[in-house]
Amino acid sequence: MVAQLSGLWLSSPSLSGHSLRCRSRPTPTSTAAATPLPSPSTIQIVGEKSPGWYGNGSSITRDTFEGCQVEYDWNEIEDDLYHWTKTLRPVQWYPGHIAKTEKELKQQLKLMDVVIEVRDARIPMSTSHPQMDSWIGNRKRILVLNREDMISTTDRNAWATYYARQGTKVVFSNGKLGMGSMKLGRLAKTLAAGVNVKRRAKGLLPRPVRAGIVGYPNVGKSSLINRLLKRRMCPAAPRPGVTRVLKWVRFGTDLELLDSPGIIPMRISDQSAAIKLAICDDIGERSYDVVDVAAILVQMLSRLPAVGNKALYDRYKIVTDGRCGKIYVQKLALQLFSGNINQAAFRVLSDFRKGKFGWIALERPPQIVP
């Protein structure tokens, strides 16, 4: 059997030997030569090695799922992701309101007693603004990893340990259900308690603690404030770009919160991070090709031990070897959406965001060398 598919981005020769195949960890006895990549315009699949992939799908055995079940470490996954994104159109998103907001926010941060930075718990590194440290300066900071309900206990513990070693105050929260919100309020007041001590020493009346809530779009800043206040004071919706102006709200008599629009770099230089922002719906849909993003997600999921090829098969009854996610999305389109590949891609992304493959992070803390 020979099947030919045209224009698949994953066949680009620019990968320079990083062909999209399942790689086991190298061993001293491994001497297999690298298989040459096909031409940029076509991929050929020859033979009947995987009847479940191009055949009728009836021949499913345990061996079908063993292709990519080796234990990948996170550095290998990041390395693969870097090479996959090199062949794609760059993901860039910078709505007009962000430039104005960024300027205003930097001015307001000068008035802050404490800064609360909210990140997506699934991708804490990718939702870290590269200039945030310079903006905050010496001000006290609380790091909030929101959507803790969307990652596993193992992921949560890994990040908790990482930030504890750094001496960073971290709060895990769920903006929808309110978990962590009261702890955050108490911690903000505690960290900024010295403000009024100094004011009294100068003969000034005490004032509410000022806390600025900052972070990327759609990481849950407004939902977190609404949970703190126990009423809907800030517009919130499950999509980026809803909040467009800075807004002060008061929490009790001793804490004022500044809700701010999502801030993102004018140019995203790390395209691996950009793809993860797209997967987690933390960037506008118009900035990326949904099919490309879904294809990469399939390849990432197939490599994660917590998901793997079997979870993908259990969900869609389509076999994957983890090598070409775009072929997988095309198969899903033919099976469920009358060939509409965009609808198939949206289904894969939506299922991940709803936890249909389990609650998993797409990042783990970088290894700290002693």
Side-chain angles (χ1 to χ4, degrees):
M1 178 188 72
V2 178
Q4 180 171 303
L5 299 106
S6 300
L8 295 180
W9 53 266
L10 292 177
S11 61
S12 171
S14 67
L15 298 183
S16 304
H18 291 267
S19 56
L20 298 180
R21 61 187 184 278
C22 180
R23 301 181 309 174
S24 59
R25 288 186 177 141
T27 62
T29 59
S30 176
T31 59
T35 303
L37 286 168
S39 64
S41 60
T42 61
I43 287 182
Q44 287 189 328
I45 298 91
V46 182
E48 295 284 345
K49 298 294 185 182
S50 300
W53 185 261
Y54 284 97
N56 57 19
S58 59
S59 207
I60 304 295
T61 67
R62 180 178 178 181
D63 293 338
T64 307
F65 297 112
E66 291 183 351
C68 285
Q69 290 294 350
V70 290
E71 182 79 9
Y72 264 63
D73 67 31
W74 287 84
N75 288 334
E76 288 178 321
I77 294 175
E78 289 293 330
D79 181 63
D80 282 338
L81 182 57
Y82 169 77
H83 289 285
W84 297 337
T85 59
K86 286 175 67 175
T87 61
L88 302 182
R89 173 177 62 85
V91 175
Q92 300 295 342
W93 187 67
Y94 196 72
H97 71 276
I98 289 184
K100 178 182 177 182
T101 300
E102 182 178 306
K103 182 178 179 180
E104 294 176 349
L105 179 60
K106 286 189 284 188
Q107 293 297 321
Q108 291 292 332
L109 285 176
K110 297 176 182 178
L111 306 175
M112 298 296 109
D113 302 313
V114 59
V115 177
I116 300 170
E117 183 186 0
V118 184
R119 300 185 192 176
D120 190 323
R122 296 168 295 178
I123 49 172
M125 305 302 288
S126 294
T127 46
S128 172
H129 197 291
Q131 294 178 282
M132 190 60 67
D133 288 343
S134 63
W135 292 347
I136 294 176
N138 295 325
R139 291 170 186 81
K140 299 182 184 297
R141 168 161 54 179
I142 301 172
L143 180 61
V144 176
L145 297 187
N146 195 33
R147 301 188 179 122
E148 70 157 343
D149 56 313
M150 302 180 78
I151 62 174
S152 68
T153 301
T154 301
D155 294 326
R156 186 188 188 280
N157 291 341
W159 283 110
T161 301
Y162 173 74
Y163 286 115
R165 288 175 177 173
Q166 289 188 328
T168 302
K169 299 289 184 181
V170 61
V171 175
F172 289 85
S173 71
N174 177 349
K176 289 185 177 180
L177 300 179
M179 296 166 57
S181 59
M182 298 308 295
K183 178 182 179 180
L184 174 61
R186 290 193 300 269
L187 183 57
K189 294 176 183 178
T190 301
L191 287 180
V195 172
N196 285 318
V197 172
K198 293 179 181 179
R199 288 179 65 84
R200 290 189 186 97
K202 295 178 181 179
L204 301 175
L205 293 174
R207 62 164 175 79
V209 170
R210 296 170 183 155
I213 298 187
V214 301
Y216 269 47
N218 204 33
V219 293
K221 301 182 296 299
S222 297
S223 296
L224 195 60
I225 291 177
N226 290 337
R227 282 294 174 180
L228 273 169
L229 302 177
K230 297 183 179 179
R231 59 186 185 277
R232 188 180 177 87
M233 291 292 293
C234 302
R239 64 179 186 276
V242 173
T243 303
R244 289 179 171 265
V245 295
L246 278 72
K247 181 179 181 180
W248 283 98
V249 293
R250 178 164 288 195
F251 177 52
T253 59
D254 49 1
L255 180 61
E256 290 180 344
L257 300 169
L258 176 66
D259 186 26
S260 65
I263 300 296
I264 199 166
M266 181 178 294
R267 182 169 182 81
I268 305 175
S269 57
D270 185 350
Q271 285 299 296
S272 295
I275 289 295
K276 286 183 278 190
L277 290 172
I279 290 173
C280 294
D281 201 22
D282 293 331
I283 196 171
E285 289 182 357
R286 294 182 180 180
S287 66
Y288 57 87
D289 185 309
V290 66
V291 177
D292 287 345
V293 172
I296 286 184
L297 175 59
V298 168
Q299 291 174 192
M300 290 186 71
L301 293 178
S302 71
R303 284 156 171 73
L304 295 178
V307 184
N309 295 333
K310 188 176 185 304
L312 287 163
Y313 177 77
D314 289 344
R315 181 66 182 166
Y316 304 120
K317 306 307 178 188
I318 299 174
V319 180
T320 177
D321 60 1
R323 294 185 178 123
C324 186
K326 197 161 189 178
I327 292 178
Y328 191 87
V329 177
Q330 289 172 336
K331 293 280 289 184
L332 181 62
L334 292 172
Q335 178 168 298
L336 297 181
F337 300 100
S338 302
N340 190 319
I341 193 169
N342 284 330
Q343 287 186 8
F346 276 116
R347 170 61 65 84
V348 173
L349 291 174
S350 176
D351 284 351
F352 169 77
R353 295 163 183 170
K354 293 177 180 178
K356 301 299 183 181
F357 305 108
W359 296 122
I360 52 173
L362 296 183
E363 291 178 343
R364 279 285 180 86
Q367 294 182 353
I368 302 176
V369 180

